[in-house]
Every structure is written in structure tokens, then in C-alpha cells.
Amino acid sequence: ILASILSLIIYWLIRDRYRVRNLDGKHVFITGCDTGLGNSLAKWLDKRGFCVIAACATEKGGQELQSCTSLSLKTVNLNLVDSNSIARAVMFVTEQTADKGLFGLVSNAEGTAPVAPTDWLTIEDFHSVMDGNLLGLIEITLKLLPLLKKAEGRVVNLINAKGLMAFVGGGYSLSKWGMEAFSDMLRIEMEHFGVKVSIVEHGFFKAGEVNSDITENYLFKLWNRMTPEMRDSYGEKYF
């Protein structure tokens, strides 16, 4: 038992010391880089020497990121609920990577999620989350797979661990479980091409102050659009 434990410790120490070499020309495409984890990761990988392509939802986000990074970092606008926007971003990545292929795809972007009992929501509320958090991620991954296979690269899907607990109604948890399933299937299928697929289930990050007014205003909006009969069935005390 002691020998097994010692062997495992040695294995993990060796594994943790491993670093990617020859970073020159290795392109990494990251979504959701306006703020938060995607923004920090883009800056960190840029300092390490990777050729970072950062997808931002707004032009302001892209400009602010470029102002504090090297000239090799490129930005592109991306709206994951718009297939045309996804196609333009894929074309940009293809042009930037030339014949080298894509070394890494990091999917980090996620849309806002209505926080309310399922009974208060409509199918449109589910679409507003699922279209960006899950279907948009799948679409851009599928379109970038040829570049990833060319470079024998890797896909890293960042999944907020709170989405793996069904503690609130709506599409948020559904989208996270869907990301897990998609990643697991893709990992098995891409092994044949030398492409690695990883899931990073992260916790909470202090990426700015949480504005509880937004959540509260959304709750009021949902409450007020319900029929009087529906509101009576829950009651003011529940609300």
C-alpha cells in the first residue's frame, strides 16, 4: 500500500511539472474574454508566449484587453447565439492560424440565466440560456474541429460547478450538464485524432461586485408577467 501511494505521489509530481514547450506559433482561442476568468486567462497565456485569439462580446472589451497585452494578442467579436457571428469568428481564427492549425480552444463564455422557479418561466427563457451556453459552444467547437485536428490540439471547457447542482429553475443547470455530456463524448471520439478534451469544473471567482438588483428586478419582471391566478397560487409570502 505504501509503495502504491509513493508511486502515485511521484506520478503526480512528474505530471505537475510537465509544461508545453516551443510556444512559438501555438494559437489558443478563448471565448468570453471581456471580463472575469476568460480575460485573466487571455492575459496569462499572452505573457507565457502563446498566440492568443480572444473572443469578446463587445468592442469595448476587446479594446481594453488589447491595451494591456502584447501586440501578438488578437481579438474578435463573438456572439454565441448568432451563427453568422460564429462563422465570422471561425474565419478570423482560420486566417490567423494559417496552416498551423489551432493548438487550443478554451470555451468560457456564458450568458445570463433567469433565476426563478421553473413554473414562472417560458420556453423562450430556456432558449435564452441554452442557445448561448450550450448550443453556441457546440456550434463553434464543431466548426473549429478541423483546425484542432490539424494541430493535434486540445479543447478545454470551463464549467461553473454551481451549474452541476439543480438548485434553481431555468436552463442554466441544463446547459452545464449538457456541456459535460458533450465534452465526454467528444473526448472519446477525438482521441483517434490526437485531440485532447478536458473539463475544468471551477468554483467561484471574484470578478467584480455582484449586483443583486439585477436578479431582483428580473424576479419582479417574471412575477408581474404571471397571471393573477398563478401569483395567487404562490402567494406574496412565497415571493
Side-chain angles (χ1 to χ4, degrees), residues 109 129-140 171 174-180 182:
V129 180
M130 298 287 285
D131 288 350
N133 281 7
L134 179 59
L135 297 180
L137 173 144
I138 292 174
E139 182 175 355
I140 197 165
L174 295 178
S175 68
K176 299 307 172 186
W177 282 107
M179 287 173 65
E180 292 268 343
F182 175 70

Side-chain angles (χ1 to χ4, degrees), residues 196-218:
K196 299 178 181 179
V197 181
S198 301
I199 299 170
V200 177
E201 297 171 353
H202 61 82
F204 294 91
F205 290 86
K206 186 177 181 181
E209 294 183 5
V210 177
N211 189 349
S212 59
D213 291 339
I214 296 176
T215 302
E216 187 173 325
N217 289 337
Y218 204 98

Side-chain angles (χ1 to χ4, degrees), residues 128-221:
S128 68
V129 180
M130 298 287 285
D131 288 350
N133 281 7
L134 179 59
L135 297 180
L137 173 144
I138 292 174
E139 182 175 355
I140 197 165
T141 302
L142 292 177
K143 290 184 175 179
L144 288 173
L145 281 180
L147 295 177
L148 289 161
K149 288 193 288 187
K150 181 182 289 187
E152 294 189 354
R154 67 281 321 279
V155 177
V156 180
N157 289 330
L158 305 181
I159 302 176
N160 195 321
K162 68 183 179 184
L164 303 179
M165 299 175 285
F167 70 98
V168 66
Y172 189 78
S173 293
L174 295 178
S175 68
K176 299 307 172 186
W177 282 107
M179 287 173 65
E180 292 268 343
F182 175 70
S183 302
D184 285 338
M185 290 184 293
L186 191 66
R187 179 185 303 114
I188 296 170
E189 296 163 355
M190 287 296 106
E191 184 178 4
H192 174 73
F193 300 97
V195 175
K196 299 178 181 179
V197 181
S198 301
I199 299 170
V200 177
E201 297 171 353
H202 61 82
F204 294 91
F205 290 86
K206 186 177 181 181
E209 294 183 5
V210 177
N211 189 349
S212 59
D213 291 339
I214 296 176
T215 302
E216 187 173 325
N217 289 337
Y218 204 98
L219 278 173
F220 273 108
K221 178 183 176 181

Side-chain angles (χ1 to χ4, degrees), residues 106-117:
V106 182
S107 292
N108 165 65
E110 61 177 38
T112 57
V115 179

